[in-house]
Each structure stands twice: as C-alpha cells, then as structure tokens.
Amino acid sequence: MEITDGLKEIDVDKLHDFSNHPFKVSDDEKMEELTESIRERGVLLPILVRKTNDEEYEIISGHRRTHAARLAGIEKVPVIIRELSDDDATIVMVDSNIQREEILPSEKAFAYRMKLEAMKHQGKNLTSDPMEQKQTSREVLAEKVGESASNIQRFIRLTYLIPELLELVDEKRIALRPAVELSYISEDNQEILYDIFKYDEATPTLSQAQILRKLDEKGELTEDKLEDI
C-alpha cells in the first residue's frame, strides 16, 4: 500500500462510498454526536481513500466521518490517498471497520464474505513458518478477526438469506444457528417464512430450522408444512 499524495483536503462531494460497503451508516444518536463534534472541531482523523479517476475518490475508511461532515455542512475534508488494488482495498476496508464495538450480524456476514473472496483472489494462504501446513484463507481470516473458522462460515451463510430475514437476525429475533439452517432454504420458501414470522411474531428453534431445511432439500416443504412447523 503506497501513499501516493500524502495528506490533502478534498471536496466532500468528490468522495463516494466503497462499492457494496457492508457496514451501515445510520442517522442515530452517535451520528448526531459525531456531526456536532465535526461541526465544532472539523474532521480530525483523515479519511482513507483511493483515486478512481482524475477527480473522484472511493472511501476505504471513514464513511461515518464523511457522512457526518456532509450533515455538518463541511465542504472539504482531510484525506490520505492510497494506491490499492480492488482486493487490497477490500481487505483494508474490512479491517478498518470490523473491530468496532457494535457490529450487526449482517455487517459481519458481508464483510467476512468480501474479505475472504479478496484473500482467495490473492492466494494468501499465509503461515509464518513455511514448514507448517498451510492454512486456508478462512483459517487465516478467523485468526485475524478472533473468530473460529466454523463461525466465519456461519456468518457468511447469512448472506444467502433474503434481506427481510437477515433483518430479523440483526434484530435478534432469529438466532445465528437457526438462521444458518434457514439460509439453505429456497428464496421462495424464505419469503413465505418471513410472512409467517411477521404476522405471527414466531421465531424458529434450531431443531425446527433443521427440519425446514431437510424438507426443502427433499422438495417437500409446502406452505402448510411451514405453518404447521
């Protein structure tokens, strides 16, 4: 990673969100506090960006600060410009956000998936000792984020849920393990499930979710069976 132009001030309108940025930027109480701080003191920590063409920049780290600067009416923000490949940019973007105190399951899910795909593209099966058995990209990722490799896979499976069900996971109405089982069910049946959960305020146990998955895999999961279970 090379700093190409060092620290600069850039028009905030020239900064654009990272493609498929998995971390949500919400107008909540913390955003109000950040906006007020930036209104009083400016953006103290530079935004990390990469140049996309002669005049535009993609945000690698600092989406919340950029949004708060816009809310505060700040026209220019300090940035550090780095020259990064798509895969390197993805890894830096995830690494700079994943250690936040509060991260939703959906954010982890898409962040882990994006970083794992980037690592696989790079072929980074890293070990400090070449004599050791090489680790898989998932095992390397697990070590870096402090999760088990199996948990990494569970979170990534959440990306196969329809958005409405994934939102219920974020709201803690569906636990992680049942949600993983539901992710294997066809999208059509997931939509029926969501309608049931929405109107009945029901949430599946792990054993129920496993039954639903098995019936779906056999092609035997009907709407009547969904409601019965």
Side-chain angles (χ1 to χ4, degrees):
M1 295 182 297
E2 181 182 352
I3 298 178
T4 56
D5 296 313
L7 187 63
K8 282 190 170 184
E9 281 206 334
I10 299 291
D11 289 344
V12 72
D13 290 339
K14 295 185 184 298
L15 304 184
H16 304 287
D17 289 348
F18 194 89
S19 178
N20 297 318
H21 186 247
F23 300 97
K24 297 179 181 179
V25 177
S26 303
D27 289 322
D28 52 17
E29 185 177 344
K30 289 185 177 181
M31 180 58 68
E32 290 180 11
E33 293 172 357
L34 180 58
T35 300
E36 186 59 31
S37 173
I38 287 177
R39 187 177 286 119
E40 293 178 1
R41 305 178 185 85
V43 178
L44 301 180
L45 184 63
I47 314 299
L48 182 62
V49 302
R50 66 170 180 166
K51 190 177 291 186
T52 55
N53 58 44
D54 289 342
E55 298 294 335
E56 305 294 322
Y57 299 85
E58 183 177 49
I59 303 168
I60 306 298
S61 175
H63 289 78
R64 294 183 74 257
R65 277 167 280 151
T66 302
H67 183 63
R70 290 192 176 107
L71 293 177
I74 304 294
E75 294 183 358
K76 290 182 178 290
V77 294
V79 303
I80 293 176
I81 304 168
R82 288 190 175 173
E83 194 164 322
L84 298 164
S85 68
D86 290 346
D87 289 332
D88 284 337
T90 296
I91 290 170
V92 173
M93 180 275 296
V94 172
D95 287 348
S96 63
N97 286 278
I98 203 66
Q99 300 301 333
R100 289 188 339 214
E101 287 184 14
E102 298 178 8
I103 299 182
L104 295 171
S106 63
E107 293 175 319
K108 279 189 177 184
F110 284 100
Y112 289 164
R113 181 173 175 176
M114 290 176 70
K115 182 170 180 178
L116 187 61
E117 288 174 356
M119 292 171 68
K120 286 179 177 178
H121 291 161
Q122 293 179 329
K124 287 190 173 178
N125 291 330
L126 303 177
T127 60
S128 57
D129 185 345
M131 298 302 293
E132 292 179 3
Q133 182 180 3
K134 285 190 174 182
Q135 295 172 291
T136 65
S137 297
R138 190 168 64 188
E139 288 169 340
V140 174
L141 174 57
E143 286 185 2
K144 287 183 178 296
V145 299
E147 299 262 16
S148 66
S150 59
N151 231 29
I152 293 289
Q153 185 59 28
R154 289 189 187 106
F155 276 109
I156 290 174
R157 276 304 315 178
L158 297 184
T159 65
Y160 295 91
L161 288 171
I162 60 172
E164 294 85 356
L165 287 181
L166 186 53
E167 187 173 348
L168 295 183
V169 180
D170 283 343
E171 293 171 357
K172 299 182 179 179
R173 284 187 55 192
I174 304 178
L176 176 60
R177 295 293 294 276
V180 169
E181 297 296 324
L182 298 181
S183 74
Y184 290 94
I185 294 175
S186 69
E187 287 191 6
D188 287 344
N189 280 330
Q190 286 189 40
E191 289 171 2
I192 296 171
L193 271 173
Y194 173 69
D195 287 338
I196 294 171
F197 297 158
K198 180 174 63 175
Y199 291 113
D200 295 347
E201 295 189 359
T203 53
T205 63
L206 177 57
S207 61
Q208 288 173 326
Q210 289 169 336
I211 293 170
L212 292 170
R213 175 183 171 181
K214 287 178 181 177
L215 288 172
D216 188 78
E217 289 173 346
K218 293 177 181 178
E220 299 175 358
L221 188 57
T222 64
E223 187 167 352
D224 287 342
K225 285 186 179 179
L226 279 166
E227 290 180 348
D228 289 342
I229 294 170

